[in-house]
Amino acid sequence: MNTPMNHTHQAVQELLLINGELRGASNGAFYDNVNPATGQVIGVSPDATTDDIEAAIVAARTAFDTTDWSRNVEFRVHCIRQLQQALADHLPQLIDITMAEVGAPRMACDTIQVVEPLKFLPYYADIAANFQWSSSLGEANTMGGPAERWTEQEAVGVVAAITPWNVPTQINLAKIVPALAAGCTVILKPAVETPWGALALGRLIANHTDIPAGVINIVASSDKLIGRQLVIDPRIDMISFTGSTDTGRRIMADASVNLTKVFLELGGKSACIVLDDVDDIAGASFGAVFGLAMVCGQGCALTTRVLLPRSRYDEGVAAIAALMTGIVPGDPTAAGTVMGPLISAAQRDRVEGYVASAIEQGARIVCGGKRPEHMPDGFFYEPTLIADVTNDMRVAQEEIFGPVLVAIAYDDDDHAVAIANDSEFGLSGAVVSADEGRALSVARRVRTGTMSVNGGVWYGCDVPFGGYKHSGIGREMGMAGFSEYLETRAFAKPVTSKS
Ligand code: ADP
């Protein structure tokens, strides 16, 4: 259905948050924010300068070094709960922004894009409140006198959080909430394409919480590379990055100059393995197709390679194609829309390039493979299934970041595992079987950070998420995602004589 799109946001005038002040860029510059569903400019964002980045670094460093933020857990918990309330009170506005600048369907905003991520706030407030910051290692007599030893955990320091445009609020919150709970101070630099979601957090922080000046700074810029200034600055203690593997590699290389700690959540090319005993291949592939649609294929953990038993390949391809042709891309604000647009014309060009490469390499487009005629204005692309794909083709090895599934045939379980693991990535995956034990044993052999067994949904604020191999370093969310923002120190003192 083609409903009119009237979600312009002239009323939303977001600002940078630097040292507790909501303000424009130092040179007064702005840049356009484009709605990918319409191609129209919906408003502007301040365009931060290198001076603004410098001011944010100074503010975050000063707040960490000269206030008791990192030591006052009770106050931090109070502030996080205030932010939780502010986000809950402004939920419809956050959803409007996400539909408008991400092109995310309302259905995705009600779940993964906005509503689910708000759970990070109570979750990490509780973790900080109950965390055992110090633990005893008892006494030992290693070299000389007996010593009493213990560890203390404390905030890493100043964190630079650099985030992408695909699920911005989820990723922004997955970084800043545990970092703040741990006692870090933060500079958040969102993607060029999605400034408002991040800046709206800054507005709510400034207007509705007691978070002190400098503890969190939020800077948006039209310069994609401005974050490099954060990465190479010796006053930054940690870089928490989510984005492409190529950029992650560059960030790690740049961070090596100061040996700055990095957390990296990068690309994926995950496999959904449909074992040969399943009754219903459509049911077994539903998660892969629905997940793909909800973010228009722009998600690192999507299972974009569907591995089908060779004996049932044609049946499987037909079943998946039937599911995919039922998904009609449309206006993100319409209640029934499951799939919105790609983020930009450049992203659509990239997807089209991959589809062309598949045809060139001998694969077959089963459905999609083109722009939908009924949505001529935005950056839409039809859900696309490519068959007769072998795992060495570019569309099987490289992350497309568009609504494209590739179907690959395998001979037996060992072959399926080998194909799943024949990837530079190791982020996620799924196995579906009529026999749960068999599914689980196949799932355990796939080297990735998360796995779905028989449709189980692993996503949640308490579930650690991250990748093996080129999919990243470290874990976000869950307890592990809190520990990323902590340093561990060890202490010892002489054993005092007991009376
Ligand atoms: P995309 O190519 O889709 O924009 P990226 O992984 O390049 O994805 O971008 C993710 C985030 O990293 C964005 O906020 C982007 O501006 C930022 N970024 C890109 N290149 C660099 C870099 N060399 N140093 C620091 N940040 C970067």
Side-chain angles (χ1 to χ4, degrees):
M1 197 173 63
N2 190 357
T3 54
M5 292 182 231
N6 61 352
H7 39 79
T8 55
H9 274 266
Q10 309 305 353
V12 179
Q13 173 63 71
E14 303 296 354
L15 294 166
L16 311 177
L17 175 61
I18 300 176
N19 202 22
E21 196 190 339
L22 291 169
R23 63 166 176 83
S26 61
N27 63 359
F30 291 90
Y31 75 97
D32 289 342
N33 195 357
V34 172
N35 181 332
T38 61
Q40 300 297 308
V41 173
I42 48 173
V44 293
S45 163
D47 195 356
T49 62
T50 56
D51 286 349
D52 294 321
I53 302 285
E54 170 64 19
I57 296 172
V58 170
R61 188 75 255 169
T62 306
F64 188 80
D65 292 339
T66 67
T67 74
D68 74 345
W69 175 256
S70 68
R71 292 180 301 281
N72 193 340
V73 184
E74 220 174 293
F75 178 57
R76 297 204 302 272
V77 170
H78 156 80
C79 291
I80 292 170
R81 296 207 197 281
Q82 285 180 315
L83 181 56
Q84 175 187 345
Q85 188 60 50
L87 292 175
D89 292 345
H90 294 82
L91 180 62
Q93 192 184 41
L94 293 172
I95 288 178
D96 278 353
I97 287 174
T98 308
M99 289 190 295
E101 71 176 4
V102 181
R106 186 179 291 281
M107 217 180 268
C109 294
D110 288 341
T111 53
I112 180 87
Q113 287 277 3
V114 185
V115 171
E116 276 295 323
L118 297 196
K119 295 181 184 165
F120 288 131
L121 289 116
Y123 175 70
Y124 283 116
D126 287 348
I127 284 185
N130 299 313
F131 191 63
Q132 193 182 342
W133 297 89
S134 174
S135 25
S136 172
L137 294 170
E139 291 175 13
N141 193 346
T142 317
M143 289 183 290
E148 181 188 334
R149 299 94 30 84
W150 72 99
T151 59
E152 292 182 7
Q153 291 195 275
E154 64 174 17
V156 163
V158 177
V159 173
I162 300 176
T163 59
W165 41 256
N166 59 336
V167 270
T169 297
Q170 132 74 35
I171 296 169
N172 292 338
L173 291 176
K175 296 186 187 308
I176 68 174
V177 180
L180 295 176
C184 296
T185 62
V186 179
I187 302 153
L188 170 64
K189 205 297 287 176
V192 177
E193 296 82 351
T194 51
W196 284 355
L199 299 178
L201 297 178
R203 170 166 48 82
L204 299 179
I205 287 167
N207 293 339
H208 300 278
T209 78
D210 297 326
I211 295 179
V215 163
I216 175 141
N217 306 275
I218 305 181
V219 283
S221 167
S222 66
D223 176 2
K224 180 182 159 85
L225 299 181
I226 205 161
R228 187 165 183 273
Q229 193 180 336
L230 297 166
V231 176
I232 60 177
D233 194 291
R235 292 166 292 181
I236 302 292
D237 296 300
M238 173 175 169
I239 298 138
S240 181
F241 171 75
T242 297
S244 65
T245 292
D246 279 348
T247 299
R249 204 176 271 124
R250 224 165 299 141
I251 284 178
M252 194 168 174
D254 283 339
S256 73
V257 174
N258 294 310
L259 290 170
T260 306
K261 175 176 178 169
V262 289
F263 164 81
L264 302 173
E265 200 277 280
L266 308 175
K269 192 78 200 182
S270 302
C272 171
I273 304 176
V274 179
L275 294 181
D276 59 9
D277 60 1
V278 300
D279 273 350
D280 166 21
I281 296 187
S285 318
F286 181 79
V289 174
F290 189 70
L292 185 89
M294 289 278 271
V295 288
C296 196
Q298 303 166 118
C300 48
L302 301 172
T303 47
T304 48
R305 290 183 293 158
V306 182
L307 275 45
L308 298 168
R310 199 176 300 280
S311 57
R312 299 181 63 185
Y313 187 76
D314 292 341
E315 171 199 348
V317 166
I320 297 167
L323 280 180
M324 291 180 85
T325 46
I327 294 170
V328 182
D331 174 3
T333 64
T337 299
V338 177
M339 190 171 120
L342 292 157
I343 191 72
S344 62
Q347 192 63 20
R348 189 168 56 186
D349 288 348
R350 176 187 161 95
V351 173
E352 288 176 338
Y354 273 111
V355 172
S357 84
I359 296 166
E360 244 164 61
Q361 291 191 296
R364 167 169 59 97
I365 310 301
V366 183
C367 64
K370 58 182 173 34
R371 304 175 184 191
E373 277 157 27
H374 71 287
M375 301 298 289
D377 296 328
F379 311 123
F380 290 89
Y381 198 77
E382 288 184 359
T384 299
L385 178 62
I386 308 180
D388 302 341
V389 170
T390 52
N391 202 47
D392 56 350
M393 291 182 186
R394 285 186 62 206
V395 286
Q397 286 294 326
E398 297 176 25
E399 187 173 46
I400 298 173
F401 237 56
V404 180
L405 291 183
V406 300
I408 302 173
Y410 68 82
D411 299 319
D412 55 22
D413 291 8
D414 287 349
H415 190 212
V417 170
I419 293 172
N421 285 330
D422 176 17
S423 170
E424 71 169 284
F425 301 110
L427 194 52
S428 190
V431 183
V432 189
S433 167
D435 173 350
E436 191 180 288
R438 183 177 168 206
L440 195 52
S441 78
V442 169
R444 288 206 171 100
R445 295 169 63 196
V446 179
R447 289 180 49 77
T448 60
T450 50
M451 283 303 288
S452 163
V453 175
N454 279 352
V457 175
W458 48 259
Y459 176 85
C461 63
D462 55 344
V463 180
F465 171 62
Y468 288 25
K469 300 192 269 184
H470 293 188
S471 290
I473 298 176
R475 293 292 177 272
E476 190 149 78
M477 318 203 295
M479 200 53 213
F482 181 67
S483 300
E484 290 285 346
Y485 297 96
L486 295 174
E487 286 279 15
T488 302
R489 313 179 72 192
F491 293 84
K493 64 177 188 179
V495 176
T496 46
S497 55
K498 292 180 182 113
S499 52

